[in-house]
Amino acid sequence: SRPSVFCQEVSFLFSTGGAHAFLFPFTYNSPMKVTWRRRGATYGWIVGLALTCAGCVTQLPPVLDVTEMKGPLAVGRVVVVLTGDRSRIYGPVVRSFEVEDQKTHERFNVEILSDDRYFAIALPPGDYRLNRVQISEGPFMSMAQVNAEFSIAEDAVTYLGTWRFGVDSPGYGRMVALSMVMDQNDQSEADAFLTKEYPAFQGTPVTVHLPEPSNMEMRLYEVMPYPRYPRYFQRHVW
């Protein structure tokens, strides 16, 4: 639907720092004759859009409490590594990822905040698309657009595999490689996680559905401005 598409567009605008151009549309060489009233109106418009789009996405914890389960369980693992030289104090972690229901266009944001973590979320059965992933390195945040599709079975636990993100060193044209796998070792570790966290699911049918395409490479965009951090940390625009 058009409202959901609008929310996605404005959400990406804010997440990649595009709103900065709206809030500060002036250059040092342009005359600063705009009144504070006009600036306030512009700022209010942008904030209003942000609040509107905040309601477009359902926030999900990485591991769902069994008492809050309202749909089939989807289980997976997220791992991120730096593939090049380390030029920052902080290593990369996956901050969050977003999936979208292909039929209703409802979006779900799963907060990970780790470089290696299992997730277990409840989603209505149907077809989904992994839309984007956000990477954090201390105060630095980056985002990549993803396009990988998967399905959630109705009466079974769905294993989505291990999602391995390989992040380039900071620099212009930075990329992130994504490989989604499920080998025998991954399967055994996922079974152990499921047994520990959800013992009531023992005996429940399990289906493996890796998102497709399972291998891809995306451009990683640095997000600006960095909230609640000094301007010193805002000098990098990769």
Side-chain angles (χ1 to χ4, degrees), residues 77-81 92-94 112-119 162-163 189:
R77 182 183 178 187
V78 173
V79 179
V80 60
V81 296
V93 301
V94 172
I112 299 297
L113 299 177
S114 176
D115 61 351
D116 187 350
R117 187 173 191 174
Y118 278 96
F119 63 87
T162 298
W163 302 354
E189 292 182 359

Side-chain angles (χ1 to χ4, degrees), residues 71-73 123-126 151-158 205-207 209:
L73 189 67
L123 296 172
S151 297
I152 299 296
E154 184 171 2
D155 298 316
V157 174
T158 302
V206 175
T207 179
H209 196 131

Side-chain angles (χ1 to χ4, degrees), residues 116-183:
D116 187 350
R117 187 173 191 174
Y118 278 96
F119 63 87
I121 55 178
L123 296 172
D127 298 324
Y128 289 83
R129 179 175 63 241
L130 176 62
N131 274 346
R132 65 190 61 160
V133 61
Q134 191 174 62
I135 306 292
S136 294
E137 295 163 289
F140 304 97
M141 292 184 291
S142 305
M143 180 172 289
Q145 292 292 104
V146 189
N147 188 10
E149 298 180 355
F150 61 93
S151 297
I152 299 296
E154 184 171 2
D155 298 316
V157 174
T158 302
Y159 280 158
L160 298 176
T162 298
W163 302 354
R164 299 173 179 171
F165 293 92
V167 180
D168 283 351
S169 299
Y172 180 76
R174 194 180 192 189
M175 304 294 289
V176 54
L178 172 58
S179 176
M180 303 179 183
V181 299
M182 175 62 84
D183 56 27

Side-chain angles (χ1 to χ4, degrees), residues 63-64 66 69 72-76 118-121 156-159 182 186-207:
V63 178
L64 185 67
V66 68
M69 198 162 297
L73 189 67
V75 177
Y118 278 96
F119 63 87
I121 55 178
V157 174
T158 302
Y159 280 158
M182 175 62 84
D186 291 318
Q187 181 83 49
S188 299
E189 292 182 359
D191 288 339
F193 167 81
L194 187 64
T195 300
K196 177 183 177 181
E197 297 291 336
Y198 304 97
F201 278 78
Q202 285 187 331
T204 302
V206 175
T207 179

Side-chain angles (χ1 to χ4, degrees), residues 12 23 26 42 63-64 67 80 109 113 127 129 131 192 195 207 210 226 228 236:
F12 183 70
L23 291 174
F26 311 105
T42 303
V63 178
L64 185 67
T67 61
V80 60
N109 188 75
L113 299 177
D127 298 324
R129 179 175 63 241
N131 274 346
T195 300
T207 179
L210 294 179
Y226 305 101
R228 301 186 300 278
H236 298 278

Side-chain angles (χ1 to χ4, degrees), residues 14 23 41-53:
F14 275 85
L23 291 174
T42 303
Y43 182 77
W45 178 72
I46 294 297
V47 170
L49 284 177
L51 293 176
T52 298
C53 290

